[in-house]
Amino acid sequence: MSNYPERPVAVLFSGGDSPGMNALLRAIARLGLNRHGVAVFGIREGYRGLLRAARLGSRSEKDLFVMKQEIASRRGRWGLIHPEQDIVMLDHASVSGIVGAGGTMLGSARCLDFKKPGSRAEAVNLLKNLNVRALIVCGGDGSLAGAECLTKESDIRVIGVPCTIDNDLFFTEMAIGVDTAVGTLVWAVDHFKDTARSHKRIMVLETMGAKRGELARLSAIASGAEMVITPEGGPVTMDQLRKLAESIKSGMEGGRSHTIVLVAEGVQFEPEQYVPSASPDQPPGKRNRAYVLADYFQTFFHQQEGELKDLEVRPSVLGHLQRGGHATPQDCILAARFAELAWNSIMDPSERSGITALRNGRVELVPFGAPDMPERAEMSAEFSRLHASLSSW
Ligand code: F6P
């Protein structure tokens, strides 16, 4: 097959999407074409698309041949308009105009099947049959764990790129998508503030962030939210709940016109049985944290005297709003820097597999399984203290 590229690089996006993924795809494709003269294969829907293609390609020699022929002949947008084609060779035009666009043009997926060693072996087999030089995996902790398994089970070169709004990867200072998500949360808090002030209300807003409170904490500092509750402090006990309510009360008595409480989705309560289920088949721990807190605070204020008794509490779960939207310049720049580092590592024969990371402001490749940067935990604690000092009344 004369027009099939010699040793292409493949890229996939996996797990929850994050703003800046398209900027990353564009940078990977353009650097491959413009700087290194290497073809870039975009794999649709993450590991799921990779496994679909692997199963198709392993059916027979003929199926593999047809797949390669399609990749070589239906390039760029021509390949992308064929939904059944899971691997598309990208050209300049196919990544044109997407730099800041939210989501991911190639699609992303969570893929439980990829946790099975047998499935990963199928993926390795396909990547070898396609003569892939390296695979770039862009995503959060689960996606990078899958990538690490590939490096242990095969000699395929794999480069991970941290993309998650959670900022819960502690080997890097920043992941692609965090800056945009914080901006979106600040925007959302501003809107809630307007209505909270008008009604002198308490708004409890639940943020994403998986098991960490990084996203909530950064957003609280940047938005001026009065209170932030994160999982790092351990499970919230009944005693702490009361203290939180007392603190809101004293702020309102002191003249606050409203209170915005940000609660990270990963917060636990102790005892969890306290948390009433929304329905009989829902386990207590699954109820949205914003509702749990809002119910508690509302009951607390109803038991007060005078005007405090009438204070109203409203919960909101901000949900997937936080993952969408146009990526900020900061995220697009980080995406370009990570893409450049990924390429430099791939083209350097002495380099191995690894993950791109931002450390002390510089981008560098760290090995899979690299320990957490101690500075990250220190910074979280520092941010909590800073927020407390900025928001006490
Ligand atoms: O990891 C990103 C994230 O948005 C988390 O903050 C959140 O817990 C989870 O993904 C939501 O996943 P899904 O999109 O599958 O509902």
Side-chain angles (χ1 to χ4, degrees):
M1 206 178 301
S2 61
N3 53 356
Y4 187 83
E6 225 170 83
R7 298 215 54 210
V9 164
V11 55
L12 63 81
F13 294 82
S14 162
D17 60 350
S18 69
M21 280 184 161
N22 280 326
L24 180 60
L25 179 67
R26 174 181 176 272
I28 290 169
R30 291 277 168 93
L31 287 169
L33 295 170
N34 298 344
R35 198 184 270 184
H36 302 285
V38 175
V40 176
F41 287 0
I43 302 175
R44 283 190 218 260
E45 284 184 37
Y47 293 128
R48 192 192 284 167
L50 179 62
L51 288 183
R52 243 183 345 239
R55 279 157 197 167
L56 179 66
S58 65
R59 281 199 316 211
S60 68
E61 285 286 319
K62 187 172 169 241
D63 282 309
L64 181 64
F65 180 82
V66 170
M67 185 189 296
K68 287 171 101 169
Q69 213 170 29
E70 278 179 358
I71 293 172
S73 56
R74 290 190 203 153
R75 297 174 183 215
R77 287 183 180 154
W78 181 231
L80 289 167
I81 59 167
H82 286 86
E84 78 289 355
Q85 189 178 326
D86 279 313
I87 303 182
V88 177
M89 183 158 30
L90 302 171
D91 57 11
H92 288 86
S94 54
V95 291
S96 175
I98 64 165
V99 65
T104 159
M105 191 185 97
L106 285 178
S108 185
R110 299 191 194 280
C111 180
L112 289 179
D113 196 0
F114 204 72
K115 292 194 169 174
K116 298 181 195 147
S119 302
R120 293 195 294 271
E122 291 181 82
V124 168
N125 200 29
L126 176 75
L127 293 169
K128 294 209 159 173
N129 281 333
L130 295 179
N131 215 14
V132 164
R133 175 195 301 253
L135 174 69
I136 305 179
V137 173
C138 314
D141 55 352
S143 312
L144 297 176
E148 183 174 6
C149 290
L150 285 181
T151 64
K152 288 184 178 151
E153 296 160 2
S154 73
D155 57 359
I156 300 253
R157 178 91 75 89
V158 185
I159 304 293
V161 181
C163 297
T164 170
I165 63 163
D166 301 335
N167 214 19
D168 57 348
L169 302 170
F170 273 31
F171 58 81
T172 178
E173 278 155 20
M174 211 21 109
I176 296 172
V178 178
D179 192 61
T180 308
V182 170
T184 304
L185 279 166
V186 170
W187 168 87
V189 168
D190 280 348
H191 283 61
F192 281 102
K193 253 187 219 168
D194 290 341
T195 166
R197 263 198 214 110
S198 307
H199 293 267
K200 211 172 179 197
R201 275 178 178 161
I202 294 138
M203 297 280 185
V204 185
L205 312 178
E206 182 175 312
T207 70
M208 282 189 168
K211 292 188 178 143
R212 303 263 197 182
E214 299 305 311
L215 184 63
R217 215 175 350 259
L218 291 174
S219 305
I221 293 177
S223 66
E226 283 72 21
M227 181 177 279
V228 58
I229 307 170
T230 59
E232 284 77 9
V236 180
T237 61
M238 292 299 288
D239 190 41
Q240 285 166 328
L241 271 177
R242 195 185 37 77
K243 284 188 183 138
L244 292 169
E246 293 284 1
S247 152
I248 298 175
K249 178 182 160 192
S250 84
M252 298 302 277
E253 281 174 330
R256 265 194 173 137
S257 61
H258 67 283
T259 300
I260 303 283
V261 179
L262 290 188
V263 55
E265 64 177 350
V267 162
Q268 302 290 318
F269 295 96
E270 180 64 48
E272 196 66 68
Q273 295 87 294
Y274 156 73
V275 180
S277 301
S279 66
D281 51 343
Q282 189 189 44
K286 293 282 176 211
R287 189 158 185 244
N288 279 104
R289 314 290 80 181
Y291 298 132
V292 174
L293 282 172
D295 283 354
Y296 181 88
F297 293 149
Q298 190 63 83
T299 310
F300 173 88
F301 282 108
H302 279 158
Q303 289 162 351
Q304 305 303 307
E305 301 290 327
E307 277 187 18
L308 284 173
K309 197 180 177 60
D310 297 327
L311 276 182
E312 290 175 318
V313 186
R314 294 285 189 269
S316 272
V317 177
L318 301 179
H320 291 80
L321 170 97
Q322 298 159 82
R323 290 231 300 258
H326 200 88
T328 59
Q330 191 93 316
D331 272 328
C332 295
I333 293 166
L334 185 62
R337 293 176 76 194
F338 277 168
E340 182 176 51
L341 175 66
W343 270 109
N344 290 347
S345 315
I346 291 168
M347 300 313 282
D348 180 349
S350 66
E351 279 279 10
R352 300 198 51 76
S353 292
I355 314 182
T356 63
L358 184 73
R359 293 176 163 229
N360 303 311
R362 295 169 66 90
V363 290
E364 56 184 83
L365 199 74
V366 299
F368 279 98
D372 288 350
M373 300 170 74
E375 301 91 305
R376 281 293 312 270
E378 284 161 22
M379 205 176 281
S380 301
E382 217 172 282
F383 281 158
S384 291
R385 285 193 296 271
L386 183 57
H387 177 265
S389 304
L390 292 173
S391 58
S392 36
W393 188 270

